[in-house]
Amino acid sequence: KTLQRNTTNVVRKLGEVRQAKVSQVNLNLNVLLRQQKDVEREMHELCSGGGGEPLLCDKLAVLRSGVQAKQAELAETEAVASAARAAVLERSQASTRRLMVELETGGNIRLEDGKPSDVWYSSCVDLVLSRFVRKEYAPYGIDGLRVTRVTRIHNRQLRNLFEEALESQVNTTNGGYKRSLE
């Protein structure tokens, strides 16, 4: 429930930030549109009374490009907000699934995200990179790997089975037997 509440709060805050940005852009856009209408009205009056002013034509072109830029900024803001919302929701669902795995197994399985400072993190990265064969993936346009995340799975039941098998094979009376395994 805490995870869902935090997700809801982040999504709500994201909506507030998006709305503030949209309001600011809309305010600027309205000013530009009003100025554009005023210039178009002046040009229309000048055209009906005589010739057109080249300075007004330049000003109108600048205003039109400004309006287009603000409309593009609005579209970009909406796209970024939508992508951020989707990313937050996806991350929340992934975290919920991980917590459900731990809950459903009664704590037998626990998932731990690794950091580059962890010893096992670098060994996992090295293992994955050493198993990658560039020639096999070259036809698909893949020429390398980049490890972005490593998750360690703690399975208590398998760990107990391993330790039982280890005790039957190794002399465990010596306290430093675990260090000698490494």
Side-chain angles (χ1 to χ4, degrees):
K1 288 185 178 185
T2 301
L3 186 62
Q4 291 172 343
R5 182 174 45 252
N6 290 345
T7 301
T8 303
N9 288 339
V10 168
V11 168
R12 183 174 34 81
K13 193 66 150 171
L14 178 67
E16 291 171 4
V17 169
R18 182 197 63 80
Q19 188 58 42
K21 177 73 173 169
V22 166
S23 295
Q24 180 219 0
V25 172
N26 275 335
L27 183 67
N28 294 341
L29 183 63
N30 287 338
V31 169
L32 287 174
L33 287 172
R34 252 184 275 126
Q35 288 179 349
Q36 181 180 343
K37 292 289 182 188
D38 290 343
V39 170
E40 287 174 349
R41 189 177 325 109
E42 284 182 39
M43 284 183 65
H44 181 69
E45 289 171 0
L46 286 176
C47 286
S48 62
E53 179 77 31
L55 190 60
L56 285 177
C57 291
D58 292 343
K59 187 174 181 179
L60 183 62
V62 169
L63 286 170
R64 285 182 178 158
S65 68
V67 167
Q68 288 177 347
K70 289 297 176 186
Q71 288 173 338
E73 189 176 344
L74 273 176
E76 180 185 356
T77 300
E78 292 294 336
V80 167
S82 176
R85 183 178 191 277
V88 165
L89 291 175
E90 175 59 34
R91 183 73 179 147
S92 172
Q93 288 175 350
S95 296
T96 302
R97 287 192 301 267
R98 289 178 65 155
L99 290 172
M100 289 303 293
V101 165
E102 292 181 22
L103 180 66
E104 289 171 354
T105 61
N108 273 337
I109 295 177
R110 190 171 53 86
L111 303 171
E112 174 187 359
D113 279 336
K115 301 178 198 83
S117 60
D118 294 331
V119 175
W120 56 269
Y121 181 94
S122 57
S123 64
C124 288
V125 170
D126 293 341
L127 176 67
V128 168
L129 294 177
S130 69
R131 299 283 172 96
F132 177 74
V133 180
R134 183 172 286 166
K135 292 177 188 173
E136 292 179 5
Y137 293 96
Y140 305 110
I142 300 172
D143 62 348
L145 288 179
R146 182 173 50 104
V147 177
T148 58
R149 186 170 77 186
V150 176
T151 301
R152 184 178 189 182
I153 301 172
H154 296 274
N155 188 327
R156 193 180 320 163
Q157 185 178 10
L158 287 178
R159 179 71 177 192
N160 290 340
L161 288 174
F162 171 76
E163 288 183 359
E164 287 173 9
L166 182 67
E167 287 175 4
S168 67
Q169 306 248 338
V170 175
N171 180 12
T172 58
T173 57
N174 181 5
Y177 79 95
K178 286 189 177 182
R179 267 187 267 132
S180 65
L181 285 175
E182 295 176 0

